[in-house]
């Protein structure tokens, strides 16, 4: 329990669970491993927040104008969710995967070390972050972490509902 107590005061350890590590991934108290897992948690949370918004936007019928490819397939004709994977060509899927890979390897990197795990500003962009006091910054980081956790569960629930055939939008 001494090594787990090392993370009891970390950002994200909050009531009612406190520090929650049911699989014992950081039971050894390794700060470097904890920071890596926190980085991954924040990144997946950010991706999930975008995924939930994108899923619900498409489910509401909002689409880009025009065609998705040169053969004339319109954005309107691409179904929501998993159905899109069978409509978009293999080359289109490959382009998406390549773009995400490029973002992962070249853009979304913590180049300068940042002030905290997941700080991708890289001494370039600020949006007023530095004008906030330390308590507000910590609060906003905790909010982002919790919103990301909720979004990870949310996108999972949306995918399960789709596979079960349960409509998300009431008629």
């Amino acid at each position: 329990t001494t090594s787990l107590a090392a993370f009891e005061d970390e950002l994200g350890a909050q009531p009612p669970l406190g520090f929650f590590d049911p699989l014992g991934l950081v039971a050894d108290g390794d700060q470097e491993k904890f920071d890596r897992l926190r980085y991954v948690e924040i990144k997946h949370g950010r991706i999930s927040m975008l995924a939930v918004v994108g899923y619900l936007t498409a489910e509401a019928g909002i689409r880009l104008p025009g065609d998705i490819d040169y053969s004339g397939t319109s954005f309107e004709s691409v179904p929501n969710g998993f159905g899109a994977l069978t409509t978009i060509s293999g080359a289109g899927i490959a382009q998406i995967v390549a773009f995400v890979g490029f973002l992962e390897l070249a853009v979304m990197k913590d180049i300068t070390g940042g002030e905290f795990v997941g700080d991708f500003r890289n001494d370039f962009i600020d949006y007023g972050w530095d004008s906030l006091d330390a308590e507000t910054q910590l609060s906003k980081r905790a909010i982002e972490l919790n919103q990301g956790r909720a979004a990870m569960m949310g996108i999972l629930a949306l995918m399960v509902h789709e596979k079960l055939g349960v409509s998300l939008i009431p008629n």
Side-chain angles (χ1 to χ4, degrees):
T1 59
T2 334
S3 57
L4 290 180
F7 303 118
E8 197 61 45
D9 294 327
E10 287 286 341
L11 179 71
Q14 43 206 33
L17 296 176
F19 179 69
F20 186 64
D21 183 20
L23 300 177
L25 297 174
V26 289
D28 58 359
D30 183 359
Q31 184 67 44
E32 189 175 318
K33 186 191 299 181
F34 177 83
D35 288 345
R36 171 70 181 140
L37 291 172
R38 176 55 49 91
Y39 168 82
V40 171
E41 179 183 20
I42 290 170
K43 179 173 70 171
H44 284 96
R46 290 171 179 169
I47 292 166
S48 295
M49 286 187 266
L50 290 171
V52 167
V53 170
Y55 194 103
L56 294 176
T57 300
E59 192 69 26
I62 301 169
R63 303 298 173 93
L64 293 172
D67 296 335
I68 195 169
D69 60 18
Y70 291 121
S71 67
T73 306
S74 69
F75 285 104
E76 286 285 329
S77 66
V78 176
N80 299 337
F82 292 112
L85 296 175
T86 59
T87 305
I88 301 172
S89 69
I93 299 289
Q95 287 176 2
I96 293 170
V97 169
F99 180 67
V100 169
F102 167 75
L103 290 175
E104 180 73 19
L105 296 173
V107 178
M108 300 308 293
K109 298 181 87 157
D110 188 358
I111 298 169
T112 62
E115 292 178 33
F116 49 87
V117 175
D119 180 8
F120 292 152
R121 294 175 298 147
N122 295 318
D123 297 331
F124 171 68
I125 201 162
D126 186 75
Y127 293 125
W129 179 259
D130 291 333
S131 65
L132 301 174
D133 62 272
E135 185 179 333
T136 304
Q137 287 179 347
L138 190 63
S139 170
K140 289 192 177 291
R141 289 177 53 212
I143 289 168
E144 179 190 26
L145 189 59
N146 282 323
Q147 296 291 338
R149 290 170 175 170
M152 285 186 268
M153 294 297 104
I155 193 63
L156 178 63
L158 290 170
M159 293 187 304
V160 168
H161 272 78
E162 180 182 336
K163 283 302 193 184
L164 292 174
V166 178
S167 175
L168 297 173
I169 310 282
N171 294 333

